[in-house]
Amino acid sequence: MRFFNIALSGLLFLPLAGAAQCTDIFISEYVEGTGNNKAIEFYNPTGNPINLAPYVLQRWSNGEAGSTDQTALVGQIAPNSTFVLVNGQTEDIDLGGGNISPACDPALQLLGNQLDNPYPAPTYMNGDDALVLVKNNNTVVDIFGKPGEDPGVAWTDDAANGFTDGDGGTWLTSNHTLRRKYAVTGGVTLPPVAFDTFLQWDTLEVNTWSGLGAHACACNPTGVSAPRVQARPEIRVFPNPSADASLQITSSVPMERVEVYTAAGVLVQQNALSGLSWQAAWEQNIPSSGVYFVNVTLIGGTTYSHRWLIP
Amino acid sequence: MRPVMFERHVRMALLAVLVLGVLPAWSQPGNTRVFGTVTDQISGEALMQAVVLNGTQGVTTDLDGKYELRLPAGSYTLKVSYVGYEPLTKTVQVQGTQMRLDFALSSLVLGEAEVVADVAIERETPVAFSNITPLKIQEELGSQPIPMILNTTPGVYATQAGSDDSGPSISIRGFKQRNVSVLVDGIPVNDMESGGVFWNNWFGLDLVTQTMQVQRGLGASKLALPAIGGTVNIITQGIESARRTSVKQEVGSFGMTRTSIGHTSGRLPGGWGYTVSGSFQNRQGWFEQDYNRSWFYYGKVQRILGDHTLSLSATGAPTENAVRSYQQRIATHDLDYARSLFRGDDAAYERMRGYSQAYDQIFNDGSLTQAQEADAIQDLNEQYGYNSVADFEQEMSETDFIDTTGVVAYGTAYNVHWGMLNGQPLVERINQYHKPLFSLRHNWRVNDRWYLSNMLYASYGYGGGTRLDNSLGAGDYTPDGQVDFEKFYATNTVGGLFGPPIDPTYSDSLLKSSRILRKSFNNHQWFGILSTFRYEHSEAWSFSGGVDFRTYRGEHYAEVYDLLGGDYFVDAFNKNAASKMRQTGDKIGFHNDALVRWGGFFGLAEYKGLLYNWFFNVSGVYQGYKSIDFFAPLDVVIGTERWREQLSYGEAFVRNDITGETQVVQNDEVQVQGEGAVVEGETLEQATVIRHGESGTENNNSGWKWLPGFTLKTGGNYNLTEYTNAFVNLGYLSRTPVFRNVVDFSNELASNIVNEVILSTEVGYSYSRYPFSANVNAYYTDWNNRPLQSLLRFETVEGDLVFANINSMSARHMGWEVDGAWELNRSFTLEGYISLGDWRWTSSEDSLVLLDDRTGQPYLDQLGQPAMVTYDATGVRVGDAPQHQYSLSLKYSYKDFYIRPRYTLFDRYFADFDPFSLNGANAGRQSWQLPTYGILDIHAGYNVDFGETNWDIRLSLFNVLNTIYINNAQNNDAFGQYYFTDSDRRYAFATNNFDAASSSVYMGPGFQSNFSLRVRF
């Protein structure tokens, strides 16, 4: 019962901790997907654009009572809009013993305003890591989780165990997307006695990222945030993996050429073209199984490289 | 007068007469010098004071079994005799200036070494082997750990900084330590769980080693041993005939001092005898903050009663040492060495460096958008003529290019596992262990035909290693590359952003530590019985066999070792504890027992003819595995029904006895009422209530899993001439898996477990005629179902971490070995070996379906299809040991002085790699090849005989040329870090490039010396 009482006091504590009302940015969505499909969305509840330069997102990993890694945010958030930080890993990394750290889903990365640093970085959180958003290195703007507590695999719904993974509770902060409740109008600035996910967050199914780029909040009762301006042209390379070596590319901006390289850098296909879509017509050797890079150069000369797999 | 004294007096008198009798012969010039050694045929032990007689004239052998005679040319009949041994008579034609004649006497009483320990005998046992005599250990081991001496034999690679935490390790014919059996006096000492051998626990054994024999391949042991690579057979000293004491003092590099003392009683009245030995070593090691403090004790009491020999022995080596377990990038160790690996001229290097620096700058420029970055890289590629960075990375792997610009080098002795705290260095990783081994033996020569041996042994292991919890990661280091203990200490005391680390969940005043040092224990209790009989049916035929029973309990847990400033640590892993607060000494993390039972039998039939002999060996084992978890929620058992992992602390299990429904509730939410219960306000008419810790609860356990294994071996030897013989052997092994491939860490039994299957054959030929001897042998070993270190771990579509067992891997190791010795003249002896291995993986999978090791059903991937892995390791060379090894030594002796330089060359050495990295474009790709390296050692010594005392002065110089070399490497090390002078800079290129830049390594030690003085009396 002791835990339960403490947890209760924690519940009372939390809304007070989030005392700032529509005055500063806070974390509005938390994507803890499979592999490295991870992202954090920030929301600007004010009526003014906010320059992100003073803001740093810290990860307090595995119960450590201090920041283990951090990323400085770059850019600015428009009023009542969002800013998305996405895991930046674009390659599978072999960790040995058959363990692979997979690339973040390119579709998720396309939704990002900023790609996070290589490992170790905040968007390598895996459910048992607290996040702390700090401004000017001295002011806590928002806290996710309970800093300094290792909950086990994740924070759970188990109030009797202080919402930790002590005894078979349901994991909430891992393998879920969490969305800040509409009523939340500011960040948590004091560490909670216990982290009760449901108090401020709604849980969505794993690998849900359709809601990134917009956030509904009581600070902006007239509507959801303005849709984010597409930072990158949308280029789709599919099917990927491709069992029969077929390849299609569509782009939201006209393409200038397509090149396909092996992982060793050997050019196996090159096409000059104009248009918004392209389908593979293999002029040279048809690729055998392996990892390829599809370089799409758009009108204007910008090249985007995509990893493409023939299993 | 006591018989022993009498015997000694008679012997002294005899000696005096003999020496006087021989003296005139010595002084005659032109005589032939006949010399050699007299040894025990089985053990190789030098027999001192054996008598070599020419008619009535003779000499006795010295402490090392050596004798020397001077005889005019002619024909002589020499008779060699020694108490307890069958006398040997040999007619020889003496001619020339000198002639070597060695005598190997066979014991009248069949020895333990032959019957129990299966020591191989020259010109008889059909396996490839090398003997290492105590003399060789004295001359060449120096202060090194005992397995290092094995580098002087073909096919064996021994390193001090092994690939694991436990110090030195060896591999034979490319098979790692767990595939090499180690026997001490016939007792198998490989770990019952992992198969490993922790050589640090055998410190000091060199003092009491009578003979050490390396049998390569399946070996001569009758037991069902996991000897794929080979067997190391160590026989300790018995009770010698004469009383002897020796004291030895060593000093060496890194402040090493070692003091050793040994005493053997000789044969005492009533058949008693004892041997005791002890040693203490203290040294700083060669890597930063390395140290080693080891003690050693050994005692053996023996009593011979007619046909019975009883002996009791105890040995152990309490040891404490620093551990270095993270490999580093080559450039982190040595910039010049990293630069020197480049294959190409300076201009080519500078060109690559130009690209590397430019690319690095773009990569590390945080102000560029992705599109700007892509543009800049494309421009750069065009400038250098690359299609993409992949072209450059390919060139890197072809040339072993490492860009050393801006890389911080910490030296070859760099060790990350220490840091400063409160002005004192604190070592993060320390191993402390003590594993005493006790044995009680009874050998009984029943009659001329029967021999029985029974042996009871017990091994108690206690100790473990420390490390940080959470473990070390990026961001935990100071700019000096050391562990930032000050930071952890500050976090645990004054705290950070939120002030002192006070967590009201636990305490309103005590400080909660978030980083601590923990110590992981790996204790064991191990008991064994080994019973062997031998029956000699006739001169030609003999049969032996027996049983090998073992029971083992390994206990694993971690403890809080150092709170690093705080007052307590929170650990939620123990579900059976009331509180989560932990103090120093409390168990944290995990606590489980691994139980292994082993029931083995073995049989051996031998035929020994005039010219040839032959054997057939069959052995079998039935091995049981069980795991018990003391931290998991308790199982509930009612009658024959079991519910697993039900009850944590403070919980109660309720079964509705009418419906059979069960539930788990908090303790205070259930009250027993008559035959029923009230649960959360609801009344059950008939119910069974079992509360946590009460009767009806049991620690979670896996139950027993039993697996059979067997070995079939056969072979024969043919003595072609007096000087030559040839042998062949063939074996088939079905080997039971290691513990962690049977039971996983959540106490679940794997379901798709199969044995490893090994097929091996070997042929050999030996020639031995003074002054030249040589052995050549060739082997072929097929290893199927080669296991991974543990179950394969990966993430499913649901995001769960799961384990799968992979059975299909295989490798083929073949090669040949030559070793020889040539006594050029009285002063010079040349020795050497060549071992050439061709060890390759032979397996690939284009679509291996991953099965849940519990259910045997496939895992599903993101698309709902069975999860698959692909890899292609076909033809890829096995890593982690040099495939080619050459050694040459030249010994110069003058009277009692010797000097022996030895040069050993290690070649075709490939980095250890992960077979699953070999897919896609990297299918079949060879791991990085380490630079070939050679090491020159010089050993010298002088023996002074003062009659009553005998002094040995020895000097060993290791790596005399101070060669910088890599002795261990990991291919594509994703965890290896580059330390840049600019702390924000990140490594720009692929870390799975199969090259020097993406490998992590241990560098070998530089020049070391060792000086010793031994006095025997």
Side-chain angles (χ1 to χ4, degrees), chain B residues 130-176:
Chain B
S130 302
N131 282 329
I132 290 162
T133 61
L135 186 66
K136 185 161 190 169
I137 292 174
Q138 287 293 335
E139 287 186 0
E140 296 203 40
L141 184 62
S143 56
Q144 304 176 99
I146 194 166
M148 296 306 290
I149 193 79
L150 298 176
N151 268 337
T152 63
T153 67
V156 184
Y157 182 61
T159 48
Q160 289 199 54
S163 51
D164 53 36
D165 289 3
S166 38
S169 77
I170 58 173
S171 67
I172 301 184
R173 289 178 173 172
F175 295 100
K176 294 185 190 185

Side-chain angles (χ1 to χ4, degrees), chain B residues 871-893:
Chain B
Y871 73 93
D872 182 2
T874 311
V876 174
R877 287 176 183 274
V878 171
D880 213 25
Q883 304 217 354
H884 290 186
Q885 229 168 293
Y886 311 83
S887 181
L888 194 65
S889 82
L890 179 67
K891 182 175 180 179
Y892 169 78
S893 319

Side-chain angles (χ1 to χ4, degrees), chain B residues 744 748-753 802-805 850-860:
Chain B
D744 73 11
E748 297 290 342
L749 293 170
S751 59
N752 50 339
I753 279 292
V802 294
F803 297 91
N805 191 47
L850 290 179
L851 300 177
D852 182 336
D853 62 83
R854 303 166 195 189
T855 63
Q857 296 300 308
Y859 286 119
L860 301 182

Side-chain angles (χ1 to χ4, degrees), chain B residues 960-1009:
Chain B
V960 174
L961 304 176
N962 205 17
T963 303
I964 297 174
Y965 64 100
I966 295 168
N967 64 6
N968 192 290
Q970 175 66 44
N971 197 53
N972 294 349
D973 188 354
F975 299 107
Q977 262 192 297
Y978 271 98
Y979 298 90
F980 292 106
T981 45
D982 169 5
S983 61
D984 290 334
R985 203 168 130 203
R986 292 175 187 281
Y987 186 69
F989 301 103
T991 54
N992 59 341
N993 205 28
F994 293 74
D995 64 356
S998 54
S999 294
S1000 285
V1001 303
Y1002 290 123
M1003 307 286 288
F1007 170 73
Q1008 297 171 84
S1009 62

Side-chain angles (χ1 to χ4, degrees), chain B residues 641-770:
Chain B
E641 269 192 290
R642 174 185 287 268
W643 291 265
R644 291 193 59 181
E645 292 195 45
Q646 295 291 314
L647 291 179
S648 297
Y649 180 84
E651 290 179 340
F653 177 90
V654 184
R655 183 180 69 173
N656 184 330
D657 291 340
I658 297 166
T659 63
E661 286 171 4
T662 68
Q663 59 181 317
V664 172
V665 295
Q666 294 296 311
N667 237 340
D668 51 9
E669 286 163 357
V670 56
Q671 287 85 40
V672 176
Q673 252 183 13
E675 296 212 329
V678 180
V679 184
E680 292 174 327
E682 187 190 341
T683 304
L684 303 178
E685 292 293 322
Q686 286 178 35
T688 307
V689 176
I690 294 175
R691 294 180 195 275
H692 182 270
E694 288 182 349
S695 93
T697 57
E698 267 181 29
N699 281 115
N700 176 267
N701 70 78
S702 65
W704 284 99
K705 171 90 175 177
W706 287 92
L707 295 170
F710 67 91
T711 309
L712 297 173
K713 286 194 284 196
T714 186
N717 175 69
Y718 191 87
N719 290 335
L720 303 160
T721 70
E722 196 181 343
Y723 308 112
T724 58
N725 65 294
F727 70 82
V728 59
N729 68 53
L730 186 69
Y732 183 90
L733 222 87
S734 172
R735 177 188 180 185
T736 48
V738 297
F739 195 84
R740 281 299 162 208
N741 278 338
V742 178
V743 187
D744 73 11
F745 285 100
S746 45
N747 259 357
E748 297 290 342
L749 293 170
S751 59
N752 50 339
I753 279 292
V754 295
N755 279 3
E756 294 169 48
V757 172
I758 298 103
L759 185 66
S760 179
T761 184
E762 187 178 50
V763 292
Y765 175 86
S766 296
Y767 174 87
S768 179
R769 185 179 189 180
Y770 180 79

Side-chain angles (χ1 to χ4, degrees), chain B residues 245-246 306 317 328 345 380 422 478 600 652 659 679 781 820 844 916 939 974 1012:
Chain B
T245 304
S246 76
Q328 301 292 337
D345 57 21
L380 181 69
N422 302 325
T478 66
T659 63
V679 184
T781 305
S844 65
F916 294 112
H939 308 280
S1012 73

